[in-house]
Amino acid sequence: MLFSPNRLLRLASSRIFALLLPLAFAVPLASWAQGRADALLQFEGVQARYQASYEPGAVARGARELLDPDDLAIAGKALKALDAASGRAFNVKASMAAIRQEVASAGTGGAAPSPQVLAAVSRFAKLRSDYNAMSEAGKAEFFNRERARPADPARTELLERMSVAEVREIDFSSQLLMSAVVKQLARGNGGQLSGLPDSTLDMALDTLWSRGVTSTRPRNLMIVAREFEKQVTQALIAALPDADVAALLAWRNDPQAAAEREALVGTYRAEVKGSGGVALRTLVRRWPKS
């Protein structure tokens, strides 16, 4: 049976339409998921947190903060070596892209953030930015004023839906591990680490991450760090209008929210752990054996 040119054109057009139709729906869905991810990362302040902890120079500064005065006095060379190793190992742009992608995948199928949510996220991000730019006296005044307000259930629940405490714990764990290795190098115990085969060194670092912080003093410091992060965030939430809190809470209680939060924390941890492992292996392998 012969087809007329017009019929052939109609058949071809219908087949092309059938192929393109799924893509037409997939693009908005992908766009919605990406929009949700971008809004969540802005709401949680993820990029600013990651940059503050892992941009060039930040890892060595963090390790320095946890060293005892005696160790700090002899750790200059080790801290300098850590700075060089971490500067090559951590890539803020790549890590943020990985975190954003995982959060977007977890949010696929969810509704795009409403204009009200986006406006509330923007106001909350500005509050955080303004707070971070304050002097210590200004921060104390803001904190005391906002924390003096009676806590209400909506604001308390919104804080519970956030990942700030878990992310702070990840950063502190990395900071503690870096300072522990620097301490051993500064005390002349680098040979105990550099003599380990790669597989054993990797296993040791992985065990430290899996075991977590068990010593009393570091554990207490971690509890304080987590609690302080929550208290500051609670003060920021207290400064938001009620309408913003309601919009944000509804957004963080929708069906995709829990999976997005889990993806954020899990990928943040994986990025910190992976890049930190590379930095420490580089540090140990390049440290003089004598």
Side-chain angles (χ1 to χ4, degrees), residues 53 69 88 157 199 207 214 276 285:
S53 298
R88 288 187 289 269
E157 185 179 351
S199 59
T207 299
T214 56
R285 292 292 175 242

Side-chain angles (χ1 to χ4, degrees), residues 229-281:
E229 194 70 36
K230 290 175 66 175
Q231 293 287 331
V232 169
T233 306
Q234 189 174 15
L236 294 171
I237 293 174
L240 281 175
D242 291 346
D244 283 359
V245 174
L248 291 169
L249 182 57
W251 172 51
R252 298 322 303 153
N253 273 330
D254 74 10
Q256 278 72 33
E260 289 170 329
R261 183 183 184 279
E262 183 177 351
L264 191 162
V265 174
T267 313
Y268 192 100
R269 178 184 174 89
E271 288 298 310
V272 171
K273 180 181 175 182
S275 298
V278 171
L280 289 176
R281 284 193 296 274

Side-chain angles (χ1 to χ4, degrees), residues 8-159:
L8 286 172
L9 181 61
R10 287 196 300 273
L11 285 172
S13 299
S14 65
R15 289 177 180 176
I16 292 173
F17 178 77
L19 289 172
L20 292 179
L21 184 61
L23 294 177
F25 283 99
V27 170
L29 285 176
S31 177
W32 291 344
Q34 194 65 52
R36 289 180 63 92
D38 289 340
L40 180 57
L41 267 59
Q42 184 183 15
F43 175 55
E44 296 274 7
V46 176
Q47 181 159 338
R49 294 175 188 276
Y50 197 93
Q51 285 179 326
S53 298
Y54 307 108
E55 67 183 357
V59 174
R61 286 196 302 271
R64 179 189 298 272
E65 291 175 1
L66 292 179
L67 291 174
D68 296 329
D70 291 344
D71 290 315
L72 185 57
I74 59 174
K77 182 179 177 181
L79 286 168
K80 185 176 180 180
L82 173 62
D83 193 25
S86 60
R88 288 187 289 269
F90 286 93
N91 184 319
V92 174
K93 184 176 180 180
S95 290
M96 288 304 305
I99 295 168
R100 184 176 288 106
Q101 179 58 45
E102 288 300 315
V103 174
S105 297
T108 300
S114 68
Q116 292 81 7
V117 167
L118 293 177
V121 167
S122 180
R123 279 189 285 270
F124 188 69
K126 187 176 186 307
L127 267 175
R128 183 191 293 113
S129 177
D130 290 346
Y131 174 83
N132 290 335
M134 292 177 186
S135 65
E136 291 305 314
K139 289 180 179 179
E141 191 276 332
F142 174 89
F143 181 85
N144 292 330
R145 182 183 70 244
E146 299 302 333
R147 290 289 289 120
R149 299 185 184 189
D152 63 87
R155 284 174 167 79
T156 299
E157 185 179 351
L158 180 58
L159 178 61

